[in-house]
Amino acid sequence: MTPETAFDRNALNFSGGPGALPAVVLAETRQAIEAVPEVGLSILGISHRSDWFAGLVEQTERDLRALLDLPDSHAVLLLQGGATLQFSMIPMLLLRGSGRVAEYLRTGYWSAKSIPPARLEGEVRVLWDGERQGSGFRRLPTADELECSPEAAYLHSVSNETVEGLQFHHIPGLDGVRRVCDMSSDFLSRPFDAERFDLIYAHAQKNLGPAGVTLVVIRRTLLDRVPSGIPEILDYRAHLQARSIYNTPPVLAIYVVSRVLRWLREDIGGLERMEALNRRKAECLYGIIDRYPDVYEGWAHPADRSRMNVVFRLSTPEREADFLCRAESAGFGGLKGHRSLGGIRASIYNGMSLEAVERLAGFMVDFARHGG
């Protein structure tokens, strides 16, 4: 495979995760693996205790704060363990021993995964179960469908369900009740008011970088009263005190996140411009799905369609297999739907270019006209 072919396949990687990275970030990472210019060492061999790495972590936080206009009331942590570890750390902090009920929205595959660990720490009330609404996780609740309690310990939601291609386009919950949100698959894809959330978490392998680092934004006052018995490595305070270097961190992954944040600020020009680009990419694919309803069936209700994960079906498994086979031959990768749902999924995270999406749209049109 030539370098040009390899780049083309990276550019056409529609995988649900790890997702495609911007070409400029791939190039910088490739160079850093050989040697970080200002250090002269490979990023794979730079000590996490070095002054350079401490400065990198600080710069990463500054860039994130600038993108979100994040106030000092919220701390930024670079942790490990993915969203899955946060499923346990959050109720350990906010539910254990509280005597209150945590409220969860079960809107898809990943939000469903977050509920059992919370039940180990206290009582959980599922406010909305999309699987039991006769929709099979095809839509999200509207604001008037949620009977939120002002006495809840917190409300947990997932802003974007990657498997089903569902995305909240409003912020659920009550102001005055702690909002906790898993933004793993749409974090930094659009502007939002971070002050309305008490804890946000996002693993990197969608919009931020490679797997290995999980970004947490937490309101500092949540750490005023931490239940006893939490192991130190699972205590947010320990990581905050250590400036995200409590134990050996994933240096390479954090480096890539820092490059992505700089790309968002300098190359894209901020989150408003990123949102506009993501909207164009999503409209490009949904337009094809709506134009050829005899060939493509969109999974999500139109009002709740994700701008990150475009999920659709074809009429039979055989036609889906033919679509995937032809797409692979044309250079497109990562289009097979999640194992729990099947179908087709085109993940169009921040790093996916508009040109690549337009190329996929062209393939879909050709398949509908001649192969569907």
Side-chain angles (χ1 to χ4, degrees):
M1 180 179 291
T2 67
E4 289 183 357
T5 304
F7 173 77
D8 285 345
R9 293 195 65 81
N10 281 323
L12 299 176
N13 176 20
F14 290 86
S15 169
L21 289 170
V24 64
V25 173
L26 280 176
E28 288 181 301
T29 304
R30 186 182 303 116
Q31 181 184 36
I33 289 175
E34 291 293 328
V36 176
E38 61 267 35
V39 180
L41 292 173
S42 167
I43 188 67
L44 301 178
I46 294 177
S47 171
H48 64 286
R49 299 297 181 189
S50 66
D51 291 341
W52 176 84
F53 183 69
L56 179 72
V57 171
E58 291 175 2
Q59 184 62 54
T60 300
E61 178 176 341
R62 285 195 295 269
D63 285 339
L64 179 68
R65 288 187 176 278
L67 282 165
L68 293 178
D69 193 21
L70 189 67
D72 192 55
S73 59
H74 289 66
V76 175
L77 299 171
L78 302 174
L79 306 182
Q80 299 174 58
T84 302
L85 183 56
Q86 293 304 305
F87 294 165
S88 294
M89 286 182 69
I90 289 163
M92 282 182 183
L93 173 66
L94 299 179
L95 187 56
R96 176 181 291 187
S98 69
R100 300 162 77 182
V101 178
E103 297 184 330
Y104 276 69
L105 304 183
R106 190 173 184 268
T107 53
Y109 180 89
W110 286 109
S111 55
K113 290 277 191 181
S114 70
I115 295 171
R119 287 189 164 134
L120 296 175
E121 301 296 335
E123 187 176 352
V124 171
R125 177 187 175 211
V126 177
L127 284 186
W128 167 269
D129 190 336
E131 194 171 34
R132 296 183 179 180
Q133 298 297 323
S135 64
F137 293 133
R138 284 180 178 262
R139 74 176 184 94
L140 297 173
T142 60
D144 58 6
E145 289 178 297
L146 297 178
E147 297 181 3
C148 302
S149 169
E151 304 301 322
Y154 60 91
L155 173 70
H156 181 281
S157 63
V158 173
S159 57
N160 184 77
E161 293 279 6
T162 60
V163 173
E164 297 84 5
L166 292 164
Q167 186 178 31
F168 276 103
H169 299 297
H170 68 277
I171 298 176
L174 299 174
D175 290 339
V177 175
R178 294 165 175 166
R179 283 189 178 94
V180 175
C181 190
D182 178 352
M183 294 189 182
S184 290
S185 54
D186 65 354
F187 189 59
L188 303 186
S189 70
R190 57 185 177 179
F192 68 95
D193 186 356
E195 289 192 74
R196 296 186 66 188
F197 295 87
D198 294 271
L199 195 154
I200 298 163
Y201 60 102
H203 55 61
Q205 65 264 29
K206 310 294 186 185
N207 282 319
L208 299 175
V213 60
T214 303
L215 199 146
V216 172
V217 176
I218 184 170
R219 192 181 300 275
R220 295 180 191 273
T221 54
L222 295 187
L223 304 177
D224 290 344
R225 295 183 180 180
V226 177
S228 61
I230 295 179
E232 191 171 63
I233 197 169
L234 301 181
D235 189 332
Y236 294 104
R237 296 173 302 177
H239 295 279
L240 182 59
Q241 183 177 1
R243 309 263 327 149
S244 296
I245 315 178
Y246 172 82
N247 60 327
T248 305
V251 175
L252 173 62
I254 292 173
Y255 175 84
V256 179
V257 169
S258 76
R259 301 303 93 181
V260 170
L261 296 180
R262 188 171 70 178
W263 169 77
L264 278 169
R265 291 191 66 189
E266 298 179 2
D267 293 27
I268 297 299
L271 298 188
E272 289 186 358
R273 292 188 177 181
M274 190 73 254
E275 179 183 36
L277 179 57
N278 284 332
R279 189 186 296 270
R280 289 179 64 189
K281 292 188 294 184
E283 289 173 349
C284 182
L285 295 185
Y286 286 123
I288 303 302
I289 292 170
D290 293 340
R291 190 188 310 171
Y292 297 99
D294 294 337
V295 179
Y296 305 116
E297 177 196 357
W299 179 263
H301 187 278
D304 302 317
R305 283 173 166 175
S306 169
R307 297 179 195 146
M308 297 284 96
N309 310 96
V310 178
V311 178
F312 58 95
R313 308 296 298 262
L314 280 79
S315 59
T316 66
E318 291 74 21
R319 294 180 83 182
E320 288 179 355
D322 186 37
F323 179 94
L324 290 169
C325 181
R326 296 189 189 198
E328 181 72 23
S329 297
F332 301 102
L335 288 169
K336 187 176 182 179
H338 190 270
R339 62 186 180 276
S340 67
L341 186 65
I344 313 296
R345 177 176 58 174
S347 296
I348 49 176
Y349 303 124
N350 285 357
M352 176 61 63
S353 70
L354 176 61
E355 292 76 13
V357 173
E358 290 173 337
R359 186 165 165 180
L360 176 60
F363 170 83
M364 291 173 65
V365 169
D366 184 68
F367 184 87
R369 289 176 176 173
H370 307 295

